[in-house]
Amino acid sequence: MGAKRLEGKTALVTGGSRGIGRAVAERLARDGAVVALTYARDETAALDTVECIRRDGGRAFALHAQLGSHGDAAALWSAFDARVPHDTTGPVVDIIVNNAGIGHGADLASLTEEGFDEVFAVNVRAPFFIVQEGLKRLRDAGRIINISSGAARLAMPEIIAYGATKGALDNFTLNLAKELGARGITANSVAPGIIDTDVNAGWLRGNPEAEAHAASLAALGRVGRPEDVADVVAFLASDDARWVTGKVIDATGGSGL
Ligand code: NAD
């Protein structure tokens, strides 16, 4: 068997203990990367993810990182530095996946200032400063992959602030691509549609009507799985995607066409 395509690379995946982040962590590790996955609350789930990766022959470790308050990115990176390989210049990372995010189910009339601040702090401010703080560790030809949402390009007034955060994230992606291109670093967003993860479990799982409706929104006729997104992230992380930057890659199964 030849070398794995991410052999020798180190990846950071925020919110890697469950859902899409877990699938991304597992896939990048399978491709040969050493994966640092962060979790906010559920240490057991994070350690279980690490254990699964190790059983599969991969390398990973878990870092606690609560995002959404000032200093969050600096704390994340100092925990990272204590655990990862260093080269002559210090700790290094090759792939940053900003996956951690929260939904916020409020419309224009009911959104509070606190709710607005919270969703922007986790979904926009944290990725911004994770990248800013991470830049000195990010090697040339590195990858920044932001997990956006189909909600950034569709009007969904019932989650108005959430959609705005993902729109902001996509604009951040665009600017990163321009700013960092000279170093061979690419920056892209991946925009999932409805994916069967815990965040949707309450309304989706065990509810055939809701599932059928969600499936009907995608041209491909089913609800997305975390692996559907992880495989796109793996492509963007690989050398095959070296000429793709500043883009939002749709992974909605053709929703809203
Ligand atoms: P999830 O709720 O299952 O997982 C989210 C992850 O983010 C968890 O690991 C959680 O610990 C972490 N996280 C949340 N808040 C955090 C905080 N304050 N600090 C640190 N970590 C925090 O969600 P998911 O469905 O796997 O979603 C992952 C990403 O994909 C999110 O950015 C989400 O917006 C995006 N997305 C999801 C869907 C979907 O249908 N599931 C659709 C489009 C986009």
Side-chain angles (χ1 to χ4, degrees), residues 5 20 23-28 30-31 145 147 190 222 225-238 241 249 251:
R5 63 182 184 170
I20 293 169
V24 168
E26 290 178 346
R27 175 63 207 267
L28 298 183
R30 209 175 313 130
D31 286 353
I145 300 160
I147 306 301
V190 177
R222 65 168 171 80
R225 296 186 278 264
E227 299 73 30
D228 296 326
V229 182
D231 290 351
V232 178
V233 172
F235 162 68
L236 290 172
S238 77
I249 310 297

mmCIF file of all heavy atoms in Angstrom, residues 5 20 23-28 30-31 145 147 190 222 225-238 241 249 251:
data_model
loop_
_atom_site.group_PDB
_atom_site.id
_atom_site.type_symbol
_atom_site.label_atom_id
_atom_site.label_comp_id
_atom_site.label_asym_id
_atom_site.label_seq_id
_atom_site.Cartn_x
_atom_site.Cartn_y
_atom_site.Cartn_z
ATOM 1 N N ARG A 5 -2.445 9.878 1.973
ATOM 2 C CA ARG A 5 -2.246 11.185 1.356
ATOM 3 C C ARG A 5 -2.047 12.338 2.332
ATOM 4 O O ARG A 5 -1.579 13.397 1.933
ATOM 5 C CB ARG A 5 -3.332 11.483 0.337
ATOM 6 C CG ARG A 5 -4.740 11.587 0.872
ATOM 7 C CD ARG A 5 -5.669 11.824 -0.299
ATOM 8 N NE ARG A 5 -7.024 12.037 0.136
ATOM 9 C CZ ARG A 5 -7.982 12.452 -0.664
ATOM 10 N NH1 ARG A 5 -7.726 12.711 -1.922
ATOM 11 N NH2 ARG A 5 -9.200 12.611 -0.208
ATOM 12 N N ILE A 20 -20.627 16.085 12.509
ATOM 13 C CA ILE A 20 -19.792 16.303 11.323
ATOM 14 C C ILE A 20 -18.318 16.360 11.721
ATOM 15 O O ILE A 20 -17.455 15.782 11.043
ATOM 16 C CB ILE A 20 -20.228 17.610 10.613
ATOM 17 C CG1 ILE A 20 -21.644 17.438 10.031
ATOM 18 C CG2 ILE A 20 -19.231 18.008 9.531
ATOM 19 C CD1 ILE A 20 -22.292 18.728 9.530
ATOM 20 N N ALA A 23 -16.841 12.924 12.173
ATOM 21 C CA ALA A 23 -16.621 12.253 10.879
ATOM 22 C C ALA A 23 -15.403 12.841 10.169
ATOM 23 O O ALA A 23 -14.629 12.113 9.545
ATOM 24 C CB ALA A 23 -17.869 12.380 10.002
ATOM 25 N N VAL A 24 -15.217 14.154 10.296
ATOM 26 C CA VAL A 24 -14.050 14.800 9.670
ATOM 27 C C VAL A 24 -12.770 14.317 10.347
ATOM 28 O O VAL A 24 -11.790 13.952 9.682
ATOM 29 C CB VAL A 24 -14.166 16.343 9.759
ATOM 30 C CG1 VAL A 24 -12.849 17.012 9.380
ATOM 31 C CG2 VAL A 24 -15.299 16.851 8.875
ATOM 32 N N ALA A 25 -12.787 14.301 11.678
ATOM 33 C CA ALA A 25 -11.595 13.851 12.421
ATOM 34 C C ALA A 25 -11.238 12.416 12.026
ATOM 35 O O ALA A 25 -10.068 12.101 11.768
ATOM 36 C CB ALA A 25 -11.853 13.958 13.923
ATOM 37 N N GLU A 26 -12.251 11.564 11.955
ATOM 38 C CA GLU A 26 -12.002 10.151 11.612
ATOM 39 C C GLU A 26 -11.450 10.021 10.197
ATOM 40 O O GLU A 26 -10.520 9.260 9.945
ATOM 41 C CB GLU A 26 -13.290 9.341 11.771
ATOM 42 C CG GLU A 26 -13.680 9.200 13.242
ATOM 43 C CD GLU A 26 -14.993 8.451 13.477
ATOM 44 O OE1 GLU A 26 -15.765 8.256 12.517
ATOM 45 O OE2 GLU A 26 -15.256 8.098 14.633
ATOM 46 N N ARG A 27 -12.018 10.772 9.284
ATOM 47 C CA ARG A 27 -11.589 10.674 7.878
ATOM 48 C C ARG A 27 -10.157 11.205 7.694
ATOM 49 O O ARG A 27 -9.326 10.583 7.009
ATOM 50 C CB ARG A 27 -12.579 11.432 6.990
ATOM 51 C CG ARG A 27 -12.201 11.511 5.532
ATOM 52 C CD ARG A 27 -12.149 10.129 4.875
ATOM 53 N NE ARG A 27 -11.222 10.145 3.753
ATOM 54 C CZ ARG A 27 -11.540 10.387 2.485
ATOM 55 N NH1 ARG A 27 -12.806 10.591 2.155
ATOM 56 N NH2 ARG A 27 -10.628 10.395 1.554
ATOM 57 N N LEU A 28 -9.856 12.363 8.305
ATOM 58 C CA LEU A 28 -8.500 12.915 8.143
ATOM 59 C C LEU A 28 -7.468 11.993 8.774
ATOM 60 O O LEU A 28 -6.365 11.819 8.243
ATOM 61 C CB LEU A 28 -8.415 14.327 8.734
ATOM 62 C CG LEU A 28 -9.312 15.399 8.091
ATOM 63 C CD1 LEU A 28 -9.061 16.762 8.721
ATOM 64 C CD2 LEU A 28 -9.117 15.482 6.581
ATOM 65 N N ARG A 30 -7.793 8.749 9.013
ATOM 66 C CA ARG A 30 -7.688 7.597 8.103
ATOM 67 C C ARG A 30 -6.774 7.932 6.924
ATOM 68 O O ARG A 30 -6.080 7.065 6.397
ATOM 69 C CB ARG A 30 -9.086 7.199 7.604
ATOM 70 C CG ARG A 30 -9.192 5.723 7.276
ATOM 71 C CD ARG A 30 -10.609 5.304 6.910
ATOM 72 N NE ARG A 30 -11.601 5.800 7.834
ATOM 73 C CZ ARG A 30 -12.718 6.451 7.484
ATOM 74 N NH1 ARG A 30 -13.009 6.679 6.220
ATOM 75 N NH2 ARG A 30 -13.563 6.875 8.390
ATOM 76 N N ASP A 31 -6.772 9.209 6.543
ATOM 77 C CA ASP A 31 -5.896 9.636 5.441
ATOM 78 C C ASP A 31 -4.462 9.878 5.913
ATOM 79 O O ASP A 31 -3.619 10.305 5.125
ATOM 80 C CB ASP A 31 -6.449 10.908 4.788
ATOM 81 C CG ASP A 31 -7.674 10.618 3.922
ATOM 82 O OD1 ASP A 31 -8.017 9.430 3.730
ATOM 83 O OD2 ASP A 31 -8.290 11.578 3.432
ATOM 84 N N ILE A 145 -10.349 25.195 6.357
ATOM 85 C CA ILE A 145 -11.656 24.729 5.874
ATOM 86 C C ILE A 145 -12.700 25.125 6.915
ATOM 87 O O ILE A 145 -12.620 24.708 8.079
ATOM 88 C CB ILE A 145 -11.629 23.196 5.650
ATOM 89 C CG1 ILE A 145 -10.549 22.849 4.601
ATOM 90 C CG2 ILE A 145 -13.015 22.707 5.187
ATOM 91 C CD1 ILE A 145 -10.075 21.415 4.632
ATOM 92 N N ILE A 147 -16.581 25.204 8.122
ATOM 93 C CA ILE A 147 -17.868 24.528 7.896
ATOM 94 C C ILE A 147 -18.982 25.569 7.978
ATOM 95 O O ILE A 147 -19.297 26.097 9.051
ATOM 96 C CB ILE A 147 -18.108 23.368 8.884
ATOM 97 C CG1 ILE A 147 -16.924 22.375 8.860
ATOM 98 C CG2 ILE A 147 -19.430 22.660 8.532
ATOM 99 C CD1 ILE A 147 -16.629 21.724 7.506
ATOM 100 N N VAL A 190 -17.166 24.687 3.356
ATOM 101 C CA VAL A 190 -18.016 23.572 2.930
ATOM 102 C C VAL A 190 -19.393 23.849 3.523
ATOM 103 O O VAL A 190 -19.515 24.112 4.725
ATOM 104 C CB VAL A 190 -17.482 22.213 3.433
ATOM 105 C CG1 VAL A 190 -18.435 21.086 3.044
ATOM 106 C CG2 VAL A 190 -16.090 21.950 2.858
ATOM 107 N N ARG A 222 -32.323 12.321 -0.106
ATOM 108 C CA ARG A 222 -32.187 11.762 1.244
ATOM 109 C C ARG A 222 -31.572 12.818 2.161
ATOM 110 O O ARG A 222 -31.081 13.854 1.691
ATOM 111 C CB ARG A 222 -31.323 10.491 1.237
ATOM 112 C CG ARG A 222 -29.878 10.700 0.841
ATOM 113 C CD ARG A 222 -29.031 9.454 1.148
ATOM 114 N NE ARG A 222 -27.692 9.541 0.590
ATOM 115 C CZ ARG A 222 -26.684 10.221 1.130
ATOM 116 N NH1 ARG A 222 -26.860 10.924 2.247
ATOM 117 N NH2 ARG A 222 -25.496 10.234 0.557
ATOM 118 N N ARG A 225 -25.513 12.610 5.540
ATOM 119 C CA ARG A 225 -24.807 11.937 6.643
ATOM 120 C C ARG A 225 -23.495 12.674 6.902
ATOM 121 O O ARG A 225 -22.919 13.256 5.967
ATOM 122 C CB ARG A 225 -24.510 10.486 6.247
ATOM 123 C CG ARG A 225 -25.765 9.648 6.033
ATOM 124 C CD ARG A 225 -25.422 8.187 5.779
ATOM 125 N NE ARG A 225 -25.060 7.912 4.417
ATOM 126 C CZ ARG A 225 -25.908 7.452 3.470
ATOM 127 N NH1 ARG A 225 -27.174 7.219 3.766
ATOM 128 N NH2 ARG A 225 -25.483 7.231 2.247
ATOM 129 N N PRO A 226 -22.991 12.622 8.134
ATOM 130 C CA PRO A 226 -21.734 13.326 8.433
ATOM 131 C C PRO A 226 -20.609 12.973 7.450
ATOM 132 O O PRO A 226 -19.834 13.836 7.049
ATOM 133 C CB PRO A 226 -21.404 12.844 9.855
ATOM 134 C CG PRO A 226 -22.739 12.563 10.453
ATOM 135 C CD PRO A 226 -23.587 12.022 9.337
ATOM 136 N N GLU A 227 -20.571 11.725 6.998
ATOM 137 C CA GLU A 227 -19.512 11.292 6.076
ATOM 138 C C GLU A 227 -19.618 12.008 4.726
ATOM 139 O O GLU A 227 -18.612 12.183 4.029
ATOM 140 C CB GLU A 227 -19.570 9.777 5.825
ATOM 141 C CG GLU A 227 -19.374 8.921 7.068
ATOM 142 C CD GLU A 227 -20.572 8.941 8.009
ATOM 143 O OE1 GLU A 227 -21.726 9.103 7.528
ATOM 144 O OE2 GLU A 227 -20.377 8.816 9.231
ATOM 145 N N ASP A 228 -20.843 12.402 4.355
ATOM 146 C CA ASP A 228 -21.003 13.119 3.082
ATOM 147 C C ASP A 228 -20.217 14.431 3.111
ATOM 148 O O ASP A 228 -19.725 14.904 2.086
ATOM 149 C CB ASP A 228 -22.487 13.453 2.822
ATOM 150 C CG ASP A 228 -23.345 12.202 2.645
ATOM 151 O OD1 ASP A 228 -22.841 11.208 2.098
ATOM 152 O OD2 ASP A 228 -24.522 12.240 3.045
ATOM 153 N N VAL A 229 -20.156 15.025 4.287
ATOM 154 C CA VAL A 229 -19.438 16.293 4.441
ATOM 155 C C VAL A 229 -17.946 16.024 4.655
ATOM 156 O O VAL A 229 -17.084 16.686 4.069
ATOM 157 C CB VAL A 229 -20.024 17.098 5.626
ATOM 158 C CG1 VAL A 229 -19.320 18.438 5.767
ATOM 159 C CG2 VAL A 229 -21.529 17.287 5.454
ATOM 160 N N ALA A 230 -17.655 15.011 5.460
ATOM 161 C CA ALA A 230 -16.249 14.700 5.780
ATOM 162 C C ALA A 230 -15.453 14.367 4.523
ATOM 163 O O ALA A 230 -14.280 14.728 4.407
ATOM 164 C CB ALA A 230 -16.193 13.535 6.770
ATOM 165 N N ASP A 231 -16.091 13.701 3.577
ATOM 166 C CA ASP A 231 -15.366 13.333 2.355
ATOM 167 C C ASP A 231 -15.021 14.564 1.516
ATOM 168 O O ASP A 231 -13.974 14.598 0.854
ATOM 169 C CB ASP A 231 -16.183 12.327 1.528
ATOM 170 C CG ASP A 231 -16.254 10.953 2.194
ATOM 171 O OD1 ASP A 231 -15.533 10.734 3.191
ATOM 172 O OD2 ASP A 231 -17.029 10.100 1.725
ATOM 173 N N VAL A 232 -15.873 15.571 1.555
ATOM 174 C CA VAL A 232 -15.567 16.822 0.845
ATOM 175 C C VAL A 232 -14.422 17.544 1.548
ATOM 176 O O VAL A 232 -13.499 18.062 0.913
ATOM 177 C CB VAL A 232 -16.826 17.727 0.760
ATOM 178 C CG1 VAL A 232 -16.488 19.039 0.055
ATOM 179 C CG2 VAL A 232 -17.954 17.014 0.036
ATOM 180 N N VAL A 233 -14.466 17.552 2.870
ATOM 181 C CA VAL A 233 -13.382 18.179 3.638
ATOM 182 C C VAL A 233 -12.061 17.465 3.328
ATOM 183 O O VAL A 233 -11.017 18.110 3.145
ATOM 184 C CB VAL A 233 -13.689 18.136 5.154
ATOM 185 C CG1 VAL A 233 -12.485 18.609 5.967
ATOM 186 C CG2 VAL A 233 -14.920 18.987 5.463
ATOM 187 N N ALA A 234 -12.107 16.143 3.239
ATOM 188 C CA ALA A 234 -10.881 15.375 2.965
ATOM 189 C C ALA A 234 -10.307 15.741 1.602
ATOM 190 O O ALA A 234 -9.086 15.846 1.439
ATOM 191 C CB ALA A 234 -11.175 13.874 3.029
ATOM 192 N N PHE A 235 -11.175 15.949 0.637
ATOM 193 C CA PHE A 235 -10.701 16.390 -0.686
ATOM 194 C C PHE A 235 -10.007 17.744 -0.559
ATOM 195 O O PHE A 235 -8.880 17.929 -1.030
ATOM 196 C CB PHE A 235 -11.880 16.466 -1.671
ATOM 197 C CG PHE A 235 -11.586 17.307 -2.883
ATOM 198 C CD1 PHE A 235 -10.645 16.884 -3.817
ATOM 199 C CD2 PHE A 235 -12.219 18.525 -3.081
ATOM 200 C CE1 PHE A 235 -10.348 17.679 -4.932
ATOM 201 C CE2 PHE A 235 -11.926 19.320 -4.179
ATOM 202 C CZ PHE A 235 -10.987 18.894 -5.106
ATOM 203 N N LEU A 236 -10.671 18.693 0.101
ATOM 204 C CA LEU A 236 -10.091 20.043 0.215
ATOM 205 C C LEU A 236 -8.781 20.020 0.995
ATOM 206 O O LEU A 236 -7.891 20.839 0.749
ATOM 207 C CB LEU A 236 -11.092 20.991 0.888
ATOM 208 C CG LEU A 236 -12.317 21.333 0.043
ATOM 209 C CD1 LEU A 236 -13.337 22.107 0.875
ATOM 210 C CD2 LEU A 236 -11.930 22.144 -1.203
ATOM 211 N N ALA A 237 -8.662 19.087 1.924
ATOM 212 C CA ALA A 237 -7.438 18.995 2.726
ATOM 213 C C ALA A 237 -6.287 18.378 1.939
ATOM 214 O O ALA A 237 -5.130 18.545 2.279
ATOM 215 C CB ALA A 237 -7.708 18.155 3.979
ATOM 216 N N SER A 238 -6.616 17.693 0.875
ATOM 217 C CA SER A 238 -5.597 16.922 0.144
ATOM 218 C C SER A 238 -4.891 17.778 -0.905
ATOM 219 O O SER A 238 -5.348 18.864 -1.261
ATOM 220 C CB SER A 238 -6.258 15.729 -0.553
ATOM 221 O OG SER A 238 -6.945 16.173 -1.712
ATOM 222 N N ALA A 241 -6.674 19.227 -4.098
ATOM 223 C CA ALA A 241 -7.449 20.481 -4.080
ATOM 224 C C ALA A 241 -6.545 21.714 -4.044
ATOM 225 O O ALA A 241 -7.007 22.806 -3.722
ATOM 226 C CB ALA A 241 -8.396 20.487 -2.885
ATOM 227 N N ILE A 249 -17.960 25.255 -1.140
ATOM 228 C CA ILE A 249 -18.299 23.992 -1.796
ATOM 229 C C ILE A 249 -19.615 23.499 -1.200
ATOM 230 O O ILE A 249 -19.710 23.238 0.007
ATOM 231 C CB ILE A 249 -17.193 22.923 -1.587
ATOM 232 C CG1 ILE A 249 -15.797 23.494 -1.926
ATOM 233 C CG2 ILE A 249 -17.511 21.667 -2.402
ATOM 234 C CD1 ILE A 249 -15.582 23.925 -3.348
ATOM 235 N N ALA A 251 -22.385 21.124 -0.142
ATOM 236 C CA ALA A 251 -22.538 19.696 0.188
ATOM 237 C C ALA A 251 -23.939 19.501 0.761
ATOM 238 O O ALA A 251 -24.117 19.000 1.877
ATOM 239 C CB ALA A 251 -21.457 19.249 1.162
#
